[in-house]
Amino acid sequence: MRSYRRALIAVITAVITIAGGIYGSILRSPAALAATSAVLPGFSSQTFAANDDGSIDVTLGFPIKYFGNQYTSASLNNNGNLTFGQSLGTYTPYPLSDQGPAIIAAFFADVDTRAGNPVTYGNGTVDGHQAFGVNWPAVGCYNENDSVHDTFQLILINRSDIGAGDFDIEFNYDSIQWDSGQASGGDSQCLNGTAARAGYASGSGATGTYYELPGSGENNAFLDSNAATGLINHSYGSTQPGRYVYQIRGGLPDRKST
């Protein structure tokens, strides 16, 4: 009888363990688990004071060559991007092929940090290389809407070991719940307006070089719920879901306009 009971308990335990594993896999799929770790720790020694559409000058800590120009600093714009040569207070995202400053945009949309978390930035290392990074940690959207959050990161990685001024652009995404501010046609959840854009551009309009991630400028395309183009569900230049790495060599990117 005791042997029978022990055998029965073993069978029940095995069933519970298997069911728990299956249930856990449903709740936490490998892609979802991986995506939660796309944003790297650090790069938070400085805080960009709470604002709407603000910009500040930041020092990169190393020189980069970008579309024929060398920079050691950039304008950090609250609305999800870095620009070079001039700041950008524009809150409604426009196609990166349009005329504007040279830009690297992790998530160009109307970020509003007057409610909720502020943007942080600073220097650090990635795989042993000097890096400058900016964090948008669970930030809300205009107008002081903190009911939905986006968490993303923009990192520039010094690759002067390859060539003078060479660097990598890295976009990391952990969660995207909104894509258009309420002053850009978005609703109460900051959806269904003029949607966010992500990519980079030389800033010289149609004659320049630009690239935008798939789904850029399309409603709901970047959201976590979108399996086809959701930013946390895919990658480029990396096996980590939610991570997109672009090499800039000799001042030029590894891919051009789409």
Side-chain angles (χ1 to χ4, degrees):
M1 181 64 71
R2 289 181 181 178
S3 298
Y4 173 77
R5 287 178 178 174
R6 283 197 295 268
L8 181 60
I9 290 171
V11 170
I12 292 172
T13 300
V15 170
I16 291 172
T17 301
I18 293 170
I22 293 172
Y23 183 63
S25 297
I26 293 171
L27 288 180
R28 302 180 299 163
S29 67
L33 285 173
T36 62
S37 62
V39 168
L40 298 178
F43 307 105
S44 57
S45 60
Q46 305 292 320
T47 298
F48 188 2
N51 72 93
D52 176 46
D53 305 331
S55 300
I56 55 172
D57 292 331
V58 294
T59 300
L60 303 179
F62 50 90
I64 63 170
K65 187 183 295 182
Y66 192 49
F67 294 114
N69 294 299
Q70 181 166 295
Y71 302 99
T72 57
S73 63
S75 292
L76 166 54
N77 306 302
N78 201 57
N79 291 327
N81 61 79
L82 293 174
T83 51
F84 301 89
Q86 68 183 80
S87 61
L88 183 67
T90 303
Y91 55 84
T92 297
Y94 55 79
L96 299 188
S97 58
D98 286 358
Q99 192 72 33
I103 189 171
I104 299 174
F107 194 84
F108 179 15
D110 200 356
V111 176
D112 189 344
T113 57
R114 293 174 297 172
N117 299 320
V119 172
T120 61
Y121 64 96
N123 295 97
T125 59
V126 174
D127 296 330
H129 303 289
Q130 284 181 289
F132 172 82
V134 186
N135 304 307
W136 283 265
V139 293
C141 47
Y142 186 87
N143 180 15
E144 298 187 61
N145 188 338
D146 191 41
S147 66
V148 287
H149 302 114
D150 288 349
T151 296
F152 60 97
Q153 182 181 58
L154 190 166
I155 303 177
L156 305 184
I157 304 168
N158 183 8
R159 294 310 310 268
S160 58
D161 58 308
I162 298 175
D166 287 353
F167 69 104
D168 291 344
I169 298 168
E170 183 168 305
F171 298 150
N172 293 317
Y173 304 93
D174 272 2
S175 180
I176 301 297
Q177 298 179 349
W178 65 269
D179 64 8
S180 48
Q182 292 171 292
S184 303
D187 57 25
S188 62
Q189 298 300 300
C190 289
L191 298 171
N192 302 310
T194 301
R197 293 183 177 269
Y200 53 78
S202 61
S204 53
T207 61
T209 299
Y210 64 93
Y211 172 73
E212 295 194 44
L213 277 65
S216 193
E218 300 176 14
N219 289 138
N220 307 313
F222 284 165
L223 303 185
D224 300 348
S225 57
N226 192 317
T229 52
L231 292 172
I232 70 166
N233 300 317
H234 301 278
S235 65
Y236 179 80
S238 172
T239 59
Q240 167 68 55
R243 179 165 298 153
Y244 301 76
V245 182
Y246 304 96
Q247 298 177 347
I248 308 297
R249 303 291 182 260
L252 298 175
D254 62 346
R255 49 189 314 172
K256 298 182 180 179
S257 59
T258 54

